[in-house]
Amino acid sequence: MAACREPEVGAVLEEARRAFHKEFGSEPTLAVSAPGRVNLIGEHTDYNDGLVLPMALELVTVLVGIPRLDGLISLVTTSEYADEPRRVEFPVPTAEQPLEPGIPRWANYVKGVIQHYPAGPLPGFNAVVASSVPLGGGLSSSASLEVATYTFLQQLCPDSGAVTMRAQVCQRAEHSFAGVPCGIMDQLISLSGQKGHALLLDCRSLETCPVPLSDPGVAVLITNSNVRHSLGSSEYPIRRRQCDSAAKALGKKSLREVDMKDLEAGKELLTKEEFRRARHIVGEIQRTSEAAAALSASDYKTFGRLMVESHNSLRDDYEVSCPELDQLVMLALSVPGVYGSRMTGGGFGGCTVTLLEASAATRAMQHIQERYKGTATFYLSKAADGAKVQPL
């Protein structure tokens, strides 16, 4: 049994080119790509100024286009999962007429980046978006779209900002146009991914440290539960408020400044729920630091143990897992050759990530597919590069 791989970047690029010719009657002159990501460990720590350890995926969002001279922007998406309409047109924003979020929702991610883009003036353009990053799967389809948009705008009107500034623009777009108070991990890894490496990101200092992940004997298996519970969108901001409230009660700017000793000492200052949320964050930041060291030392057994501890904490203390994710993790861990497995992403559905011996990948997929109560989709991905301009 083989993994259900999504198309390589060349196939996604060709899909976008065909759609562009169909919609606009000409060939695009510009093309860019930006990857999705899987977070190996460090969940919900990014908006707490913590540590995260993601890797960029071979799954990408592609944007192809051509400038136009009339000040209009015309966007098309090929995604069958996008809300209607799949083609939208609007004027280049001005100080007097800024862009605002609206319908279709998929276009808000693009609009937000255009509105907050720091260089200018931008010309109008025609563009088509195509993607192999599954929507709603916890692999950051939104950030890959934002970063692809930013990288495309750079080809129209170059900017002079650092990578961290670009990530912050994309993050701001998601906050203000999609209404999601996300951390900065997804945008940073989509911009800064390095082939053959995971990336330890410090979300307080925005410093990055590549961690080797190129051992051919080790594989990263992503399993999509293909469920998305409606709680996800409403519970995310609640968790963020609970963390902020816990930090404030403990007299700290963020939970990054809290260790387990501080947390236990201040337990009476917190509600039971706040304590559990904070215990996950404080423990997860420590686990991520230890996991990065283990991966650097090729200590996959320790890394796997930390993954399982992370999942259990997300399930019990942070309460963002669900029965489907728990089952996928349990099934993966019952396969010989699996080092560790955990839910990844915001939770309430989406994907799990499993570190395992490469030789065990087919066996693990078969075992999960036969016993999972739903229908799982699998992706085997190596650590990939971040956003780049693609040749046409």
Side-chain angles (χ1 to χ4, degrees), residues 51-84:
L51 303 175
V52 292
L53 188 65
M55 74 177 207
L57 297 173
E58 295 167 311
L59 306 171
V60 296
T61 296
V62 162
L63 201 151
V64 303
I66 192 168
R68 54 191 285 179
L69 302 176
D70 60 359
L72 291 178
I73 295 170
S74 186
L75 296 173
V76 176
T77 179
T78 65
S79 173
E80 61 184 282
Y81 301 107
D83 57 321
E84 297 287 349

Side-chain angles (χ1 to χ4, degrees), residues 242 246 263 266-280 316-319:
Q242 290 167 336
L263 185 59
K267 187 173 183 178
E268 299 304 315
L269 301 173
L270 308 176
T271 67
K272 290 182 179 179
E273 199 169 59
E274 286 172 342
F275 177 77
R276 291 200 310 274
R277 305 298 187 247
R279 182 166 61 185
H280 165 72
D316 300 334
D317 277 349
Y318 221 63
E319 296 182 285

Side-chain angles (χ1 to χ4, degrees), residues 223-225 227 229 307-334 341-344 347-354 367-368 371-373:
T223 305
N224 194 340
S225 68
V227 298
H229 296 291
M307 291 177 81
V308 175
E309 290 177 6
S310 170
H311 181 80
N312 293 343
S313 179
L314 287 159
R315 180 192 64 204
D316 300 334
D317 277 349
Y318 221 63
E319 296 182 285
V320 292
S321 188
C322 62
E324 294 88 351
L325 293 175
D326 295 340
Q327 186 190 21
L328 288 174
V329 168
M330 179 192 70
L331 290 172
L333 293 175
S334 67
S341 185
R342 58 183 288 277
M343 61 154 278
T344 186
F348 303 103
C351 294
T352 62
V353 59
T354 302
H367 180 78
I368 293 168
R371 292 165 178 79
Y372 176 52
K373 65 181 180 181

Side-chain angles (χ1 to χ4, degrees), residues 12-245:
V12 184
L13 186 60
E14 185 56 34
E15 175 190 346
R17 287 180 65 174
R18 287 196 304 267
F20 190 91
H21 189 270
K22 179 181 177 181
E23 291 288 339
F24 300 109
S26 63
E27 290 296 323
T29 58
L30 302 170
V32 300
S33 66
R37 64 94 187 98
V38 66
N39 193 23
L40 299 173
I41 194 167
E43 216 63 73
H44 289 276
T45 53
D46 57 341
Y47 54 83
N48 287 284
D49 287 346
L51 303 175
V52 292
L53 188 65
M55 74 177 207
L57 297 173
E58 295 167 311
L59 306 171
V60 296
T61 296
V62 162
L63 201 151
V64 303
I66 192 168
R68 54 191 285 179
L69 302 176
D70 60 359
L72 291 178
I73 295 170
S74 186
L75 296 173
V76 176
T77 179
T78 65
S79 173
E80 61 184 282
Y81 301 107
D83 57 321
E84 297 287 349
R86 293 185 191 168
R87 179 168 180 166
V88 62
E89 191 168 278
F90 50 88
V92 173
T94 64
E96 296 75 25
Q97 288 188 305
L99 296 179
E100 294 182 356
I103 301 295
R105 291 185 299 275
W106 66 266
N108 288 334
Y109 298 95
V110 180
K111 285 181 176 179
V113 177
I114 294 170
Q115 178 60 44
H116 298 307
Y117 189 70
L122 286 168
F125 58 88
N126 295 331
V128 167
V129 176
S131 186
S132 60
V133 187
L135 299 184
L139 301 181
S140 203
S141 57
S142 57
S144 69
L145 176 54
E146 292 153 7
V147 170
T149 301
Y150 196 105
T151 308
F152 182 80
L153 297 181
Q154 286 180 292
Q155 311 317 304
L156 298 172
C157 184
D159 73 322
S160 58
V163 168
T164 52
M165 182 277 290
R166 295 167 185 165
Q168 288 167 328
V169 169
C170 293
Q171 179 193 31
R172 185 180 174 195
E174 188 152 342
H175 287 187
S176 59
F177 275 69
V180 179
C182 63
I184 201 167
M185 169 182 66
D186 297 351
Q187 293 82 6
L188 264 177
I189 185 63
S190 189
L191 283 158
S192 307
Q194 293 185 28
K195 185 176 181 179
H197 293 80
L199 211 61
L200 180 65
L201 306 180
D202 185 326
C203 297
R204 179 170 59 186
S205 67
L206 301 185
E207 293 175 338
T208 63
C209 178
V211 182
L213 182 56
S214 57
D215 186 338
V218 174
V220 174
L221 174 65
I222 300 157
T223 305
N224 194 340
S225 68
N226 287 307
V227 298
R228 171 56 60 185
H229 296 291
S230 58
L231 277 174
S233 58
S234 60
E235 290 292 320
Y236 182 95
I238 291 174
R239 294 298 183 281
R240 184 158 188 166
R241 288 195 298 271
Q242 290 167 336
C243 291
D244 291 343
S245 177

